[in-house]
Amino acid sequence: MANINELINFWSYGKQTDIVTPQVIANFWRLTNLNRKEWPQNPVSEDDAAEIGKGHEFATQLFKSHYMPPEYEINKYLSSEWAAWGFSFALGNVVKTGTGPYTYTITPILGATNPTSLELPYFTFTQQIRPGGSAVLDQSFVGCAVKSLALNVNNNPGRQSATLRAGIVTSGKYVEPSGLTAPSPTTLHEMGAGLLTALTINGIDYFTSAKNFLSLDWSWDNNFRTGFFPGSGSQDGFQIQGRIEIGDRAHGFRYVARFLNGSTELTKLRALTTGTCTITFTLDGNNSLSIVEQKMGFRAAVLDEQDGIVTVAVTGDPLYDSTNGLVTVTAVCPQNGICQ
Amino acid sequence: MAQQDTAWMKSPDGEVREVAVKDLPPLMAQGWHQTAPPAETKQEEK
């Protein structure tokens, strides 16, 4: 038997050339995961129970259908490197500059202009428990993509004050045993809520003047289309997906702040005021994260209370600006090659 | 530390030019993507 604490994950920070070609181990990193579960492979099979002619209603035979691993969560405390990776693979249009540290400027892909059309960058994910002759688990999933991304910032101290959670999916293609040796763990540069250096939402500066911010939930979902089609491929007789394409993507922005005399959230909601939104974490000159919503309006502002203090829960409405687009993320970190 | 704060970008129409990092967002919103520097630039670097 094996202890779940023996589970190790490592995945590529570099992108695959296509959905079926795994990345090379040189472009992998080994990171920890707050999700303590393995990623199930989930082979789907069918039977003949519904077919007439057997003389009864029971199934007599199983048939292989397809691999459909569920969405798997990589949940980590926010760090410059992890942010660069998560936003790069979730949004897809990445420009890398610098020679160390490296600046990653990231925007959402547009299907019409993206070199890979509706497909986001793919990566390879490996999970192992005691790899080798007596392996308990040793699989590489080829052709993985980030389906969802969620940034949470809250007002409780500690590492959990800022977390970035990625929901990933895969084509179903796998390599077992992986044939890979896990690299040494990568040291990340974490950035908690205390390292926020800018927090302005629709003209309201919550960092410098109005020190009333309580929590933020930034979310992204690529709403992938299913990638099974004639000729998409198979492994072990189970069909696998040949593409993972974005659907109608969803972007959410919610936050909670204290509500007091002079608060303008309700005023801006009633006036349909829009403005940019800037959220910046800065650890040092080599590690930072900046999220700029190019045109933010408010959809709802509901008064509530938290710990007995009057609050306002605002649902933002990220809009697409005709010049600057929807959102621009800039991540600076020492790690080269992210999504390259 | 000296930084390379520019990137070679390619427009949807095929135009290639060097762009400062600060000028990237509107271009990326229009579908520009990072590309390799032109061959003559690599020659100059040599």
Side-chain angles (χ1 to χ4, degrees), chain A residues 191-235:
Chain A
M191 301 183 296
L195 293 177
L196 269 165
T197 52
L199 184 55
T200 302
I201 301 176
N202 198 358
I204 306 169
D205 185 346
Y206 290 101
F207 177 74
T208 304
S209 50
K211 295 181 184 292
N212 303 316
F213 206 78
L214 292 176
S215 66
L216 163 72
D217 284 288
W218 185 103
S219 63
W220 186 271
D221 197 317
N222 284 309
N223 288 319
F224 288 135
R225 306 172 192 275
T226 181
F228 295 103
F229 55 89
S232 64
S234 71
Q235 187 168 355

Side-chain angles (χ1 to χ4, degrees), chain A residues 122-189:
Chain A
Y122 298 110
F123 62 96
T124 309
F125 182 93
T126 304
Q127 54 182 6
Q128 294 180 338
I129 300 176
R130 297 183 193 166
S134 302
V136 174
L137 181 69
D138 186 5
Q139 295 174 319
S140 270
F141 292 130
V142 181
C144 303
V146 174
K147 175 183 180 292
S148 62
L149 198 65
L151 170 69
N152 172 266
V153 183
N154 64 74
N155 64 335
N156 293 310
R159 299 170 74 195
Q160 65 77 45
S161 64
T163 60
L164 186 64
R165 188 177 72 250
I168 65 175
V169 296
T170 185
S171 63
K173 179 173 180 177
Y174 70 103
V175 180
E176 185 178 64
S178 67
L180 302 177
T181 301
S184 301
T186 299
T187 300
L188 303 178
H189 297 81

Side-chain angles (χ1 to χ4, degrees), chain A residues 220-297:
Chain A
W220 186 271
D221 197 317
N222 284 309
N223 288 319
F224 288 135
R225 306 172 192 275
T226 181
F228 295 103
F229 55 89
S232 64
S234 71
Q235 187 168 355
D236 312 323
F238 291 91
Q239 189 174 4
I240 59 176
Q241 298 186 66
R243 62 190 177 219
I244 302 176
E245 297 175 327
I246 57 171
D248 288 348
R249 293 164 288 181
H251 177 26
F253 191 102
R254 295 186 69 254
Y255 71 95
V256 179
R258 290 178 163 188
F259 192 75
L260 58 153
N261 173 260
S263 290
T264 57
E265 291 87 355
L266 287 181
T267 306
K268 290 178 184 286
L269 169 64
R270 286 191 283 256
L272 297 185
T273 304
T274 62
T276 58
C277 163
T278 301
I279 305 165
T280 303
F281 292 83
T282 308
L283 174 63
D284 53 39
N286 298 331
N287 298 278
S288 64
L289 170 67
S290 176
I291 302 171
V292 176
E293 302 283 341
Q294 302 292 356
K295 187 176 179 181
M296 172 73 70

